[in-house]
Each structure stands twice: as structure tokens, then as C-alpha cells.
Amino acid sequence: MATTAAPPTPAFSPLYQQIKALMLRELQAGVWRPGETIPSETELAGRFKVSQGTVRKAIDELAAENHLVRRQGKGTFVATHGEQQTQFRFLRLQPDDGVSEGTTRRFIDCRRLRAPADVARALGLRSGDAAIQIKRVLSLRDAPVVFDEIWLPAGPFKGLTAERLSDYRGPMYQLFESEFGVRMVRAEEKIRAVAAQGESAELLALPEGTPLLSVERLSLTYGDKPVELRRGLYHTATHHYRNELS
Amino acid sequence: MATTAAPPTPAFSPLYQQIKALMLRELQAGVWRPGETIPSETELAGRFKVSQGTVRKAIDELAAENHLVRRQGKGTFVATHGEQQTQFRFLRLQPDDGVSEGTTRRFIDCRRLRAPADVARALGLRSGDAAIQIKRVLSLRDAPVVFDEIWLPAGPFKGLTAERLSDYRGPMYQLFESEFGVRMVRAEEKIRAVAAQGESAELLALPEGTPLLSVERLSLTYGDKPVELRRGLYHTATHHYRNELS
DNA sequence: TAGTGGTCTAGACCACATC
DNA sequence: ATGTGGTCTAGACCACTAA
């Protein structure tokens, strides 16, 4: 029997999904900027020629994906990494007892380099393209706990210097948003246990061989485009990485 | 001015939240059992004397929280740990390359003991209450990769033996559902890096001092009641713990 | 063909924030 | 008082599944 391959489904797409895609374009294009409000539901309904309920469902999903934040009576806002709630949204390390206190950052290094092959692959660059490498140490109770090596594509982050990093008050991702228009939407982490050695042992003031948590984070912006590779080493004697499963 | 403390908000609760609470009760009471379908939206609407849309919103949230699974054209089902999709929903370890292959389990031990103080505290037992301790090793490519020590309250799991564990085909959490009526709804994990030693080094066939991922999982059932404390040690030379941030 | 969930609409009303 | 998001309803119609 000659069966012709059925077309891969004529792609039925609900109206609210189309609206959602249009709204994502506004976000990606920077028309709606982090922290600002977007037009009201009724206005969007008029603009897109659909009912308010349909706009509402689109916004519901965008809010569930952390793109937008609803605030009753005030409006719907573009999510940002600068808010209190989401201050360290991506940092899952926390002290074994109570809540974290004074976090201090110390930038060790910030230089422009050719991206090594593995970094280039992760960031979707061509091998040899320019990239920015940042090294820093986070201390959580006057004791160094995190050593991060951060790689960024040089293009979108042109002009990033050690000074701007250390001068900036607030989360690094907020600086990326406001100064470079790059918003981290989500991230994937690969976690391992490794032994401290060389630079990491020295900067965290630990004997070589101390077990450390290795956290490799790939951060993505709109359209799942990778824009940051972060290799963190966490000392977990008095802190732990917290995760929720559901 | 004598200001009397305002009552802490008279607890306004939307209708759909009340419906949701009622439905959660059915789930908790075991009236609706894992894998089965629940009544259709229209029937529930009639039963609760609300519109279908209101029932729908309640189900939406229960589905988002992994209590229910919708299947268009078929019905709405109580979520279970036995399905293909959610086979190892709570195991985040995966091989560095492709997808996992043959997973083999080996049960080392299963005994009834008095719960140590820390275990009792985590499980909400009184110190000295009976608990079941299980030890097992997971091998992922013929190589041992995970060593688990599992603690369960003896009450709900009365009659659990090493035989029933090794004889059962399928995920352990499915056995807990079908044989003991205990469904894990969500879990919290605390992750650290530690050094292999003694029993763990031996069972994972590693030299002492090898860095291992320590994953302490507290699993909760309905009403956030803790029902399992699991201490896992993962060898992460060829595997990693994967996490999504958003 | 009948039953289920999924989409879309239009309108009424409530809760919250601001002026 | 006004505008925003949040709830609730009733009804029409679509997409999927199974008998």
C-alpha cells in the first residue's frame, strides 16, 4: 500500500498562543522594557482585536514563565532581576541555618579573550571569537564560599569592565538588563562534586582536595539564545544548594 | 489615636480556590486514586453548583501542581509516579552524554529501627518511634553510581520488606502509591559536596576521599506532610545532576 | 456519534491602587 | 471616581478519543 506521509499536522495554533508570541516579540525587541508596565488587558484586547479573556490567557502563560509579573490594581510589569523578590533568583545556595546575611563580592579579574572551544560551543560562538571572562569570589559570612568564572560573548557586552562591575550596586543580572539590554530568561545547571585545586583552593582558602560543588550554568535569553556560561565552585560545609522537586 | 489592630484580612477566598480545596480532599482521602480518571468538568460543575469555567480553573491549578493530568478527549486523571513521562520524575541525575540506559537496582538492606533524632525530626516522628531504613545502590551503566539511604515512618509503610522491594517492577514511588496509598506530591533537596568514605566508598567501588554529590531529599505528601527522608550519594564522574532555573 | 477537554467570547461584578 | 487586574458566568464552537 502506497501511503503518502501525512503532513506533520497543519499546525493548529490557538489564538492566545499567537497573541503570546506577538507579546514575546515586543519583549525581545525591547519595546517593553524590564520593570516597566505593559499596556492594560483591555487595550491589548483592542489592539489585537480579540476578547480580553484571550489576552488574559496569553498573559497568564507569560507570567507563569516569569516573563511578566501581574500586580492587581496597578498593572502588568515586565519581570526584572532587580526586584527584592527575585534578587538572587538564580542563586540557590543558602546557609544551613537561617537566612543569608551580608553578601560581599570581590572581582578578581575581567578580561577580553578568545573563547576556548568548549566555551564557544556553549555560547554559540565561532571558535576564536572574542569573549569576556570574569572571575569573582562571593563571601557570605566574611568567609569565601563561591568562586565563579563567568564567560560572556563580547558582542552584546561590549564595554563591560571590572570597574563597572565593582561600582554597580545590585545584582549582576540587573546590570546586564539596564546597561546592555540583555535579560536572562532561564538557565540550565549541571551539578557535580569535584575536588578543590590550585586557584579555587587558594581563593576559597581551602586545602586542596576539599570537596566542592561544581555548578555549570548556561543562561539563556529570549528565543533560548545562550548568553552566559558560568562555572561556579561552591564550598558546602556551612551552606547547601537548595532545590524543589514537583 | 487608639487604632485597634485590623483583623488580618477576613480571608477572602475565590470560589475556584474553595473548589480546589475540596478536590484536594478527595485526592488526599483516596476517593480519587492515582491513575484513575476524576469526574468530568461538567459533572463536577453540577456537583459543586458552579459554572464549568470555575471548575476548570481549579483543575488548571491542580494540574500545574502535578496533582492531576489532563488528556484531551479522554478525561482528567490523578497523577501517578508510574507513567512513562514521570518515570523518574524526582531523579535528576543523568549521563553527561545522551540519554540513560539500563538502570539496575540492588537492595543492600531493609530493616526496622528506632528513628535517630535527626530522622525523627525530619519525618515529624517522636524520637524513638519505629522507622524503616532501606539501603540500595543504583547502577546506570553496569557501574554503581548512586548509594541511597532511605528512611520511612514505620506506620504508613507497615509490611514493607526487602522482598517486596526487589520483587517490584517499576519505580519505588509507584509501589508506595499502589501498596501503601502514599503518594509523593513534592520534595525538597539539599545538595552538598562530600568525600566518599567507608560504606559509601565501598559500595560505589571508589577510593576514599572521592568527591561525591550528597543529596538529602525530604519527600512530602498531601498537606505537606513529610513521609520520606532520602540521603543519596551520587558519583558524578560520568553523570551530573541537572536543574532548570526560571 | 457522543463525550471529553480546549478555545473564545461578552458581560457583570469584585478587589486593589491611585488620584 | 477611575482604572487596573481578578473572578464568575453562560453559551457557542473546536479538537480529540472511543465506541
Short mmCIF file of all heavy atoms in Angstrom, two decimals, chain C residues 3-18:
data_model
loop_
_atom_site.label_atom_id
_atom_site.label_comp_id
_atom_site.label_asym_id
_atom_site.label_seq_id
_atom_site.Cartn_x
_atom_site.Cartn_y
_atom_site.Cartn_z
P DG C 3 -23.44 11.35 25.39
OP1 DG C 3 -24.19 10.52 26.34
OP2 DG C 3 -23.99 12.64 24.92
"O5'" DG C 3 -21.99 11.61 26.00
"C5'" DG C 3 -21.16 10.49 26.27
"C4'" DG C 3 -19.75 10.97 26.50
"O4'" DG C 3 -19.16 11.35 25.23
"C3'" DG C 3 -19.68 12.22 27.39
"O3'" DG C 3 -18.74 12.02 28.43
"C2'" DG C 3 -19.22 13.32 26.45
"C1'" DG C 3 -18.42 12.54 25.42
N9 DG C 3 -18.28 13.22 24.15
C8 DG C 3 -19.26 13.87 23.43
N7 DG C 3 -18.83 14.41 22.33
C5 DG C 3 -17.47 14.11 22.33
C6 DG C 3 -16.47 14.44 21.37
O6 DG C 3 -16.58 15.07 20.33
N1 DG C 3 -15.22 13.94 21.76
C2 DG C 3 -14.99 13.22 22.90
N2 DG C 3 -13.73 12.82 23.11
N3 DG C 3 -15.91 12.90 23.78
C4 DG C 3 -17.13 13.38 23.44
P DT C 4 -18.57 13.11 29.58
OP1 DT C 4 -18.63 12.37 30.84
OP2 DT C 4 -19.48 14.25 29.31
"O5'" DT C 4 -17.09 13.65 29.38
"C5'" DT C 4 -15.97 12.75 29.44
"C4'" DT C 4 -14.78 13.45 28.82
"O4'" DT C 4 -15.09 13.67 27.43
"C3'" DT C 4 -14.53 14.84 29.38
"O3'" DT C 4 -13.55 14.82 30.39
"C2'" DT C 4 -14.02 15.63 28.19
"C1'" DT C 4 -14.33 14.77 26.99
N1 DT C 4 -15.11 15.52 25.97
C2 DT C 4 -14.42 15.97 24.87
O2 DT C 4 -13.23 15.79 24.71
N3 DT C 4 -15.19 16.66 23.97
C4 DT C 4 -16.55 16.93 24.06
O4 DT C 4 -17.14 17.55 23.18
C5 DT C 4 -17.19 16.43 25.24
C7 DT C 4 -18.66 16.68 25.45
C6 DT C 4 -16.45 15.76 26.13
P DG C 5 -13.32 16.20 31.19
OP1 DG C 5 -12.65 15.86 32.45
OP2 DG C 5 -14.56 16.98 31.19
"O5'" DG C 5 -12.28 16.95 30.24
"C5'" DG C 5 -10.95 16.48 30.13
"C4'" DG C 5 -10.27 17.14 28.95
"O4'" DG C 5 -11.21 17.26 27.86
"C3'" DG C 5 -9.77 18.56 29.23
"O3'" DG C 5 -8.54 18.75 28.54
"C2'" DG C 5 -10.86 19.43 28.64
"C1'" DG C 5 -11.23 18.60 27.40
N9 DG C 5 -12.56 18.90 26.89
C8 DG C 5 -13.75 18.71 27.52
N7 DG C 5 -14.78 19.09 26.80
C5 DG C 5 -14.21 19.56 25.63
C6 DG C 5 -14.83 20.11 24.48
O6 DG C 5 -16.02 20.27 24.25
N1 DG C 5 -13.87 20.46 23.52
C2 DG C 5 -12.51 20.32 23.65
N2 DG C 5 -11.76 20.73 22.63
N3 DG C 5 -11.94 19.80 24.73
C4 DG C 5 -12.85 19.45 25.68
P DG C 6 -7.83 20.18 28.49
OP1 DG C 6 -6.37 20.00 28.35
OP2 DG C 6 -8.42 20.94 29.61
"O5'" DG C 6 -8.37 20.81 27.12
"C5'" DG C 6 -7.61 20.63 25.92
"C4'" DG C 6 -7.86 21.80 24.98
"O4'" DG C 6 -9.26 21.86 24.65
"C3'" DG C 6 -7.50 23.16 25.59
"O3'" DG C 6 -6.78 23.92 24.62
"C2'" DG C 6 -8.85 23.78 25.92
"C1'" DG C 6 -9.73 23.18 24.82
N9 DG C 6 -11.14 23.11 25.20
C8 DG C 6 -11.67 22.59 26.35
N7 DG C 6 -12.97 22.67 26.40
C5 DG C 6 -13.33 23.29 25.22
C6 DG C 6 -14.61 23.66 24.71
O6 DG C 6 -15.71 23.51 25.24
N1 DG C 6 -14.51 24.28 23.47
C2 DG C 6 -13.34 24.50 22.80
N2 DG C 6 -13.44 25.11 21.61
N3 DG C 6 -12.14 24.16 23.26
C4 DG C 6 -12.21 23.57 24.46
P DT C 7 -6.41 25.41 24.90
OP1 DT C 7 -5.15 25.66 24.17
OP2 DT C 7 -6.55 25.69 26.33
"O5'" DT C 7 -7.56 26.19 24.12
"C5'" DT C 7 -7.62 26.09 22.70
"C4'" DT C 7 -8.74 26.94 22.18
"O4'" DT C 7 -9.98 26.58 22.81
"C3'" DT C 7 -8.57 28.45 22.42
"O3'" DT C 7 -8.61 29.08 21.15
"C2'" DT C 7 -9.77 28.83 23.31
"C1'" DT C 7 -10.76 27.73 22.94
N1 DT C 7 -11.82 27.43 23.94
C2 DT C 7 -13.12 27.66 23.62
O2 DT C 7 -13.48 28.12 22.55
N3 DT C 7 -14.03 27.34 24.60
C4 DT C 7 -13.74 26.81 25.84
O4 DT C 7 -14.64 26.55 26.64
C5 DT C 7 -12.35 26.59 26.13
C7 DT C 7 -11.93 26.01 27.44
C6 DT C 7 -11.45 26.90 25.17
P DC C 8 -8.11 30.59 21.02
OP1 DC C 8 -7.68 30.78 19.63
OP2 DC C 8 -7.21 30.87 22.14
"O5'" DC C 8 -9.44 31.42 21.24
"C5'" DC C 8 -10.46 31.39 20.25
"C4'" DC C 8 -11.69 32.07 20.79
"O4'" DC C 8 -12.29 31.26 21.81
"C3'" DC C 8 -11.46 33.43 21.45
"O3'" DC C 8 -11.78 34.44 20.51
"C2'" DC C 8 -12.38 33.42 22.68
"C1'" DC C 8 -13.15 32.10 22.54
N1 DC C 8 -13.49 31.42 23.82
C2 DC C 8 -14.83 31.25 24.17
O2 DC C 8 -15.70 31.67 23.40
N3 DC C 8 -15.14 30.62 25.33
C4 DC C 8 -14.16 30.19 26.13
N4 DC C 8 -14.52 29.57 27.26
C5 DC C 8 -12.79 30.34 25.80
C6 DC C 8 -12.50 30.96 24.65
P DT C 9 -11.82 35.96 20.92
OP1 DT C 9 -11.74 36.74 19.67
OP2 DT C 9 -10.89 36.19 22.03
"O5'" DT C 9 -13.30 36.09 21.48
"C5'" DT C 9 -14.38 35.60 20.69
"C4'" DT C 9 -15.68 35.82 21.42
"O4'" DT C 9 -15.77 34.86 22.51
"C3'" DT C 9 -15.80 37.20 22.06
"O3'" DT C 9 -16.85 37.91 21.43
"C2'" DT C 9 -16.11 36.93 23.54
"C1'" DT C 9 -16.46 35.46 23.57
N1 DT C 9 -16.06 34.75 24.80
C2 DT C 9 -17.01 34.21 25.62
O2 DT C 9 -18.21 34.29 25.38
N3 DT C 9 -16.54 33.59 26.73
C4 DT C 9 -15.21 33.45 27.11
O4 DT C 9 -14.89 32.87 28.14
C5 DT C 9 -14.25 34.04 26.21
C7 DT C 9 -12.79 33.96 26.51
C6 DT C 9 -14.71 34.65 25.11
P DA C 10 -16.91 39.51 21.48
OP1 DA C 10 -17.47 39.94 20.21
OP2 DA C 10 -15.63 40.03 21.98
"O5'" DA C 10 -18.00 39.76 22.62
"C5'" DA C 10 -19.23 39.04 22.60
"C4'" DA C 10 -19.98 39.32 23.88
"O4'" DA C 10 -19.53 38.41 24.91
"C3'" DA C 10 -19.75 40.74 24.42
"O3'" DA C 10 -21.01 41.33 24.70
"C2'" DA C 10 -18.87 40.53 25.64
"C1'" DA C 10 -19.25 39.12 26.09
N9 DA C 10 -18.20 38.40 26.80
C8 DA C 10 -16.85 38.50 26.62
N7 DA C 10 -16.14 37.72 27.43
C5 DA C 10 -17.09 37.07 28.19
C6 DA C 10 -17.00 36.12 29.22
N6 DA C 10 -15.86 35.64 29.68
N1 DA C 10 -18.16 35.67 29.77
C2 DA C 10 -19.32 36.16 29.30
N3 DA C 10 -19.53 37.06 28.34
C4 DA C 10 -18.37 37.48 27.82
P DG C 11 -21.08 42.84 25.24
OP1 DG C 11 -22.24 43.44 24.55
OP2 DG C 11 -19.74 43.47 25.19
"O5'" DG C 11 -21.47 42.61 26.76
"C5'" DG C 11 -22.42 41.60 27.09
"C4'" DG C 11 -22.35 41.32 28.57
"O4'" DG C 11 -21.23 40.45 28.85
"C3'" DG C 11 -22.14 42.58 29.42
"O3'" DG C 11 -23.13 42.62 30.43
"C2'" DG C 11 -20.74 42.38 30.00
"C1'" DG C 11 -20.68 40.86 30.07
N9 DG C 11 -19.33 40.32 30.23
C8 DG C 11 -18.20 40.68 29.55
N7 DG C 11 -17.13 40.02 29.95
C5 DG C 11 -17.61 39.18 30.96
C6 DG C 11 -16.93 38.24 31.77
O6 DG C 11 -15.73 37.95 31.77
N1 DG C 11 -17.78 37.62 32.66
C2 DG C 11 -19.13 37.87 32.77
N2 DG C 11 -19.81 37.19 33.68
N3 DG C 11 -19.78 38.74 32.02
C4 DG C 11 -18.95 39.36 31.13
P DA C 12 -23.44 44.00 31.22
OP1 DA C 12 -24.84 44.35 30.96
OP2 DA C 12 -22.36 44.98 30.98
"O5'" DA C 12 -23.33 43.49 32.72
"C5'" DA C 12 -24.04 42.31 33.10
"C4'" DA C 12 -23.44 41.77 34.39
"O4'" DA C 12 -22.16 41.19 34.10
"C3'" DA C 12 -23.21 42.88 35.43
"O3'" DA C 12 -23.89 42.57 36.63
"C2'" DA C 12 -21.70 42.91 35.61
"C1'" DA C 12 -21.26 41.52 35.12
N9 DA C 12 -19.91 41.51 34.55
C8 DA C 12 -19.44 42.29 33.54
N7 DA C 12 -18.17 42.06 33.24
C5 DA C 12 -17.80 41.06 34.12
C6 DA C 12 -16.59 40.38 34.33
N6 DA C 12 -15.48 40.61 33.61
N1 DA C 12 -16.55 39.43 35.29
C2 DA C 12 -17.66 39.21 36.01
N3 DA C 12 -18.86 39.78 35.91
C4 DA C 12 -18.86 40.71 34.94
P DC C 13 -24.06 43.69 37.71
OP1 DC C 13 -25.34 43.40 38.38
OP2 DC C 13 -23.78 45.02 37.13
"O5'" DC C 13 -22.89 43.35 38.72
"C5'" DC C 13 -22.77 42.02 39.22
"C4'" DC C 13 -21.36 41.83 39.74
"O4'" DC C 13 -20.42 41.86 38.66
"C3'" DC C 13 -20.89 42.93 40.72
"O3'" DC C 13 -20.78 42.35 42.01
"C2'" DC C 13 -19.55 43.38 40.16
"C1'" DC C 13 -19.19 42.24 39.21
N1 DC C 13 -18.23 42.62 38.14
C2 DC C 13 -17.02 41.97 38.07
O2 DC C 13 -16.76 41.07 38.88
N3 DC C 13 -16.12 42.33 37.11
C4 DC C 13 -16.44 43.30 36.26
N4 DC C 13 -15.53 43.62 35.34
C5 DC C 13 -17.68 43.98 36.30
C6 DC C 13 -18.55 43.62 37.25
P DC C 14 -20.29 43.26 43.24
OP1 DC C 14 -21.10 42.82 44.38
OP2 DC C 14 -20.19 44.68 42.86
"O5'" DC C 14 -18.80 42.73 43.47
"C5'" DC C 14 -18.55 41.33 43.55
"C4'" DC C 14 -17.07 41.11 43.80
"O4'" DC C 14 -16.34 41.42 42.59
"C3'" DC C 14 -16.48 41.99 44.90
"O3'" DC C 14 -15.65 41.19 45.72
"C2'" DC C 14 -15.69 43.03 44.13
"C1'" DC C 14 -15.27 42.27 42.89
N1 DC C 14 -15.04 43.10 41.68
C2 DC C 14 -13.79 43.08 41.08
O2 DC C 14 -12.89 42.39 41.56
N3 DC C 14 -13.59 43.83 39.97
C4 DC C 14 -14.59 44.56 39.47
N4 DC C 14 -14.35 45.28 38.37
C5 DC C 14 -15.88 44.58 40.07
C6 DC C 14 -16.06 43.84 41.17
P DA C 15 -14.94 41.84 46.99
OP1 DA C 15 -14.82 40.76 47.98
OP2 DA C 15 -15.60 43.12 47.33
"O5'" DA C 15 -13.48 42.16 46.46
"C5'" DA C 15 -12.55 41.11 46.29
"C4'" DA C 15 -11.20 41.68 45.97
"O4'" DA C 15 -11.27 42.43 44.73
"C3'" DA C 15 -10.65 42.65 47.02
"O3'" DA C 15 -9.28 42.35 47.19
"C2'" DA C 15 -10.87 44.02 46.39
"C1'" DA C 15 -10.71 43.72 44.91
N9 DA C 15 -11.42 44.60 43.99
C8 DA C 15 -12.71 45.02 44.07
N7 DA C 15 -13.07 45.80 43.07
C5 DA C 15 -11.93 45.88 42.29
C6 DA C 15 -11.64 46.55 41.09
N6 DA C 15 -12.54 47.30 40.44
N1 DA C 15 -10.40 46.43 40.59
C2 DA C 15 -9.51 45.68 41.24
N3 DA C 15 -9.66 45.00 42.37
C4 DA C 15 -10.90 45.15 42.84
P DC C 16 -8.46 43.10 48.30
OP1 DC C 16 -7.55 42.09 48.88
OP2 DC C 16 -9.37 43.91 49.12
"O5'" DC C 16 -7.58 44.11 47.44
"C5'" DC C 16 -6.69 43.60 46.45
"C4'" DC C 16 -6.17 44.76 45.64
"O4'" DC C 16 -7.26 45.38 44.95
"C3'" DC C 16 -5.52 45.85 46.49
"O3'" DC C 16 -4.16 45.95 46.11
"C2'" DC C 16 -6.34 47.12 46.18
"C1'" DC C 16 -6.98 46.76 44.83
N1 DC C 16 -8.27 47.44 44.51
C2 DC C 16 -8.33 48.26 43.38
O2 DC C 16 -7.33 48.43 42.70
N3 DC C 16 -9.51 48.87 43.08
C4 DC C 16 -10.59 48.66 43.84
N4 DC C 16 -11.73 49.28 43.50
C5 DC C 16 -10.55 47.81 44.99
C6 DC C 16 -9.38 47.23 45.29
P DA C 17 -3.18 46.90 46.90
OP1 DA C 17 -1.85 46.27 46.86
OP2 DA C 17 -3.82 47.29 48.16
"O5'" DA C 17 -3.14 48.20 45.96
"C5'" DA C 17 -2.55 48.10 44.68
"C4'" DA C 17 -2.71 49.43 43.97
"O4'" DA C 17 -4.12 49.69 43.78
"C3'" DA C 17 -2.14 50.63 44.73
"O3'" DA C 17 -1.15 51.22 43.90
"C2'" DA C 17 -3.35 51.55 44.97
"C1'" DA C 17 -4.35 51.07 43.92
N9 DA C 17 -5.77 51.19 44.27
C8 DA C 17 -6.38 50.70 45.40
N7 DA C 17 -7.68 50.92 45.42
C5 DA C 17 -7.93 51.61 44.25
C6 DA C 17 -9.11 52.14 43.70
N6 DA C 17 -10.30 52.04 44.28
N1 DA C 17 -9.01 52.78 42.50
C2 DA C 17 -7.80 52.86 41.92
N3 DA C 17 -6.63 52.40 42.34
C4 DA C 17 -6.77 51.79 43.52
P DT C 18 -0.37 52.51 44.44
OP1 DT C 18 0.95 52.45 43.81
OP2 DT C 18 -0.55 52.59 45.90
"O5'" DT C 18 -1.17 53.72 43.79
"C5'" DT C 18 -1.52 53.65 42.40
"C4'" DT C 18 -2.40 54.83 42.05
"O4'" DT C 18 -3.75 54.57 42.51
"C3'" DT C 18 -1.98 56.16 42.68
"O3'" DT C 18 -1.70 57.07 41.63
"C2'" DT C 18 -3.17 56.57 43.54
"C1'" DT C 18 -4.31 55.80 42.87
N1 DT C 18 -5.48 55.47 43.74
C2 DT C 18 -6.75 55.79 43.29
O2 DT C 18 -6.95 56.34 42.22
N3 DT C 18 -7.76 55.43 44.15
C4 DT C 18 -7.64 54.79 45.38
O4 DT C 18 -8.62 54.52 46.06
C5 DT C 18 -6.29 54.49 45.77
C7 DT C 18 -6.04 53.79 47.08
C6 DT C 18 -5.28 54.83 44.95
#
